[in-house]
Amino acid sequence: MPRLLVRRPSPRLAEGELTHIDRVPVDAALAQRQWESYVDVFRHRGWEVVEVDPADEHADGVFIEDAVVMFGDLAVLTSPGAESRRGEIASTRSALEDAGIPYRSIELPGTLDGGDVLKIGRTVYVGRTLRTNDEGITQLRDLLAPRGWSVVGVPVSKVLHLKSGVTALPDGTVVGFEPLVDDPAAYPDFLAVPEEHGTAVVVLDDATVLMSADAPETAELYRSRGLEVITTPITEFEKLEGCVTCLSVRVRDE
């Protein structure tokens, strides 16, 4: 059974870090309901939900994907680029240990946010951003090369994280809202989508993706390619540069 690592939103969610967008009011109660609906999508599809201990003192703690990335059965604990988020790692490490998931770590001065990591087959695209530096990318490459993964650094300057701008469909096609993608040519197969919030998809299986409810035209585009599309509202997290990918870590059966 696949497992889903999640962390419930902090009461301080509205104080989360912002880089490329202006701050607007966040409804904490609505965010909690949206988070529960998001998690229920996975639960109803047979995923085992594993809650990482709350980190209420960390406004961005709900964005658990930034703290750990799965590569097959190996977890890589990250080294957050924002100093305010480094305290999230200890409880994430404890969750991995409790779940029996082996892990390695990125260490300072290297920085790496999980939102900057996009896996397509055995290729790992890593965004060079304000949160992820060359040393972090080098450490990740050194960890993964012996395991058969190829790490490719790509420029990201228009959005917070690589996966704020692009993700990938089940067939490996990279999708993104072109005005926010630094270099579409960096990917062998790129598909431009019509809406900013349509760029982020979570692959549930070979024929199904989960995405924001705020991109109906993009949802229809994906359906026209033969995909089943499940949508969920995440407006309060999008106000904080979040998306469907960063709210969970998917631990799949290998």
Side-chain angles (χ1 to χ4, degrees):
M1 175 188 297
R3 288 176 286 178
L4 190 76
L5 303 183
V6 294
R7 191 194 324 257
R8 63 181 54 253
S10 163
R12 296 176 56 189
L13 177 68
E15 302 170 27
E17 298 270 359
L18 287 174
T19 304
H20 291 275
I21 63 176
D22 294 329
R23 192 172 300 278
V24 296
V26 172
D27 185 329
L30 177 56
Q32 178 66 30
R33 295 195 298 273
Q34 291 182 343
W35 179 83
E36 290 169 357
S37 295
Y38 171 90
V39 173
D40 280 344
V41 171
F42 294 88
R43 187 177 283 116
H44 291 157
R45 295 183 70 89
W47 291 62
E48 176 189 353
V49 176
V50 179
E51 281 203 42
V52 178
D53 286 344
D56 288 351
E57 69 277 22
H58 294 290
D60 287 308
V62 67
F63 301 121
I64 187 67
E65 185 187 49
D66 287 328
V68 60
V69 186
M70 294 301 304
F71 298 94
D73 60 359
L74 177 71
V76 174
L77 280 170
T78 68
S79 175
E83 187 173 353
S84 65
R85 301 199 61 187
R86 291 174 187 164
E88 299 170 24
I89 297 300
S91 56
T92 307
R93 180 185 296 108
S94 295
L96 295 176
E97 292 171 347
D98 291 345
I101 300 171
Y103 65 89
R104 302 287 296 276
S105 299
I106 303 298
E107 305 289 350
L108 292 171
T111 62
L112 178 78
D113 272 18
D116 283 322
V117 179
L118 174 63
K119 297 168 290 184
I120 304 176
R122 304 295 286 186
T123 299
V124 182
Y125 294 95
V126 185
R128 292 187 178 93
T129 67
L130 295 174
R131 303 290 180 87
T132 296
N133 64 18
D134 285 337
E135 170 63 21
I137 296 173
T138 295
Q139 288 185 36
L140 185 65
R141 182 178 290 114
D142 290 345
L143 282 175
L144 296 182
R147 295 172 170 85
W149 298 79
S150 175
V151 173
V152 178
V154 292
V156 177
S157 64
K158 300 178 180 181
V159 289
L160 174 62
H161 288 131
L162 174 65
K163 287 199 290 190
S164 305
V166 297
T167 58
L169 300 179
D171 66 1
T173 300
V174 172
V175 294
F177 184 58
E178 202 156 9
L180 298 179
V181 181
D182 284 67
D183 183 14
Y187 313 102
D189 191 4
F190 177 82
L191 172 67
V193 302
E195 297 154 305
E196 178 180 349
H197 291 154
T199 64
V201 299
V202 173
V203 173
L204 297 178
D205 59 43
D206 289 343
T208 312
V209 296
L210 171 65
M211 63 177 290
S212 168
D214 192 42
E217 292 180 35
T218 308
E220 286 307 309
L221 173 62
Y222 296 153
R223 291 186 180 107
S224 75
R225 295 173 64 93
L227 291 169
E228 178 185 356
V229 179
I230 299 171
T231 63
T232 192
I234 55 165
T235 57
E236 304 314 288
F237 302 105
E238 288 166 340
K239 292 174 181 178
L240 294 162
E241 298 179 287
C243 62
V244 288
T245 65
C246 54
L247 291 171
S248 64
V249 176
R250 281 72 63 191
V251 183
R252 304 175 190 270
D253 297 329
E254 293 295 327

